[in-house]
Amino acid sequence: MCFYSKLTKKAEEIESRFKATFIDKSRYVPNNEIKAFDFPQLPVICSANPSALDFFSWGLIPNWSEDDTIKKYTLNARIETLETKASFREFTENRCLIPANGFYEWKWLDSKGKFKEKYEIGLKDESLFSFAGIWSLWKDPVQALEIHTFAVLTTQADSLMSEIHNTKKRMPVILTQESEKHWLQQAPLENFKTLSPALVAKRIFPASPQLDLF
């Protein structure tokens, strides 16, 4: 799963890495721990405009939704069922990149998850990478606003993430720099189920009761 990420690089570094320009750079604020359940607006590069970094809200709201309550269930989307789930199947060609330079996961140390260890995962040099995502444009019928929203795709955990996310054994779909263009250009979903750069993890704090993380 992916509910906590990190984006601490300068705006200019993000622009250089992704060869895209912020539409409104003043809105960008580096954040050491981004929480999906706050439904933040984050920099996103979408297939409709790959040369721009715009701000989309985390939690995909399908364009047919009458309100935004669904977003708490659409923060992540399983790549294996993307084409069959009603909330996502209409948006499989709406591809996007979500820049990050780290994400967080908790390892359960007991069967009920009372004791957990927090890990930060990313590239060895803490450089930028991207999560694979899908996006939607939703029109709020009450406020008459158009809102861009996204979901982060997840896949079966690799060997490293299976040790950390040792209950559901899932991880975000992390694109290599080489594969980002292919993702935006609608390459088959199958190509991205096991694709991931070499990740490293570091423990943030030792075992302690964590009852309110989710």
Side-chain angles (χ1 to χ4, degrees):
M1 310 301 284
C2 182
F3 297 126
Y4 298 85
S5 65
K6 168 184 174 181
L7 184 58
T8 58
K9 301 296 185 178
K10 295 179 180 178
E12 292 76 15
E13 293 179 86
I14 300 170
E15 291 180 322
S16 176
R17 162 64 175 78
F18 291 99
K19 297 180 174 58
T21 303
F22 276 97
I23 291 178
D24 184 356
K25 194 180 295 186
S26 66
R27 294 178 61 187
Y28 174 64
V29 179
N31 194 334
N32 192 59
E33 188 163 331
I34 301 163
K35 301 176 182 179
F37 293 101
D38 291 337
F39 313 110
Q41 292 196 335
L42 301 178
V44 167
I45 300 166
C46 76
S47 51
N49 191 4
S51 63
L53 281 149
D54 204 353
F55 287 83
F56 289 16
S57 296
W58 196 346
L60 188 141
I61 307 173
N63 51 19
W64 43 258
S65 183
E66 295 181 357
D67 57 46
D68 68 352
T69 56
I70 194 174
K71 64 186 180 182
K72 61 184 176 182
Y73 304 109
T74 56
L75 298 166
N76 291 169
R78 287 176 173 253
I79 195 169
E80 299 93 338
T81 58
L82 197 63
E83 295 175 299
T84 59
K85 291 292 186 180
S87 298
F88 305 123
R89 63 191 179 199
E90 296 180 24
F91 312 105
T92 58
E93 294 186 358
N94 288 10
R95 309 280 182 89
C96 64
L97 311 176
I98 303 102
N101 61 300
F103 64 100
Y104 301 95
E105 193 53 79
W106 283 259
K107 181 178 182 178
W108 285 28
L109 301 180
D110 66 285
S111 61
K112 295 183 179 180
K114 183 177 180 180
F115 289 88
K116 302 177 183 180
E117 289 179 334
K118 182 179 181 181
Y119 286 81
E120 180 183 330
I121 303 101
L123 302 183
K124 186 176 182 179
D125 56 359
E126 295 193 20
S127 59
L128 287 158
F129 58 86
S130 66
F131 301 120
I134 56 172
W135 62 274
S136 171
L137 176 60
W138 178 66
K139 296 182 180 180
D140 184 337
V142 177
Q143 300 184 47
L145 295 175
E146 291 189 340
I147 302 173
H148 285 91
T149 65
F150 73 89
V152 172
L153 300 194
T154 68
T155 189
Q156 190 68 28
D158 61 16
S159 57
L160 171 68
M161 290 304 301
S162 291
E163 288 294 321
I164 298 172
H165 198 214
N166 56 348
T167 52
K168 296 184 179 179
K169 296 185 183 293
R170 302 290 296 176
M171 65 179 289
V173 175
I174 299 173
L175 300 170
T176 63
Q177 190 166 355
E178 185 178 296
S179 67
E180 289 169 348
K181 181 170 68 173
H182 300 305
W183 174 251
L184 293 180
Q185 292 177 343
Q186 316 301 329
L189 294 173
E190 189 69 30
N191 295 0
F192 303 94
K193 290 181 180 178
T194 59
L195 179 68
S196 179
L199 298 172
V200 296
K202 61 181 179 182
R203 190 174 65 172
I204 304 301
F205 54 70
S208 61
Q210 297 294 315
L211 302 180
D212 58 351
L213 293 175
F214 306 108

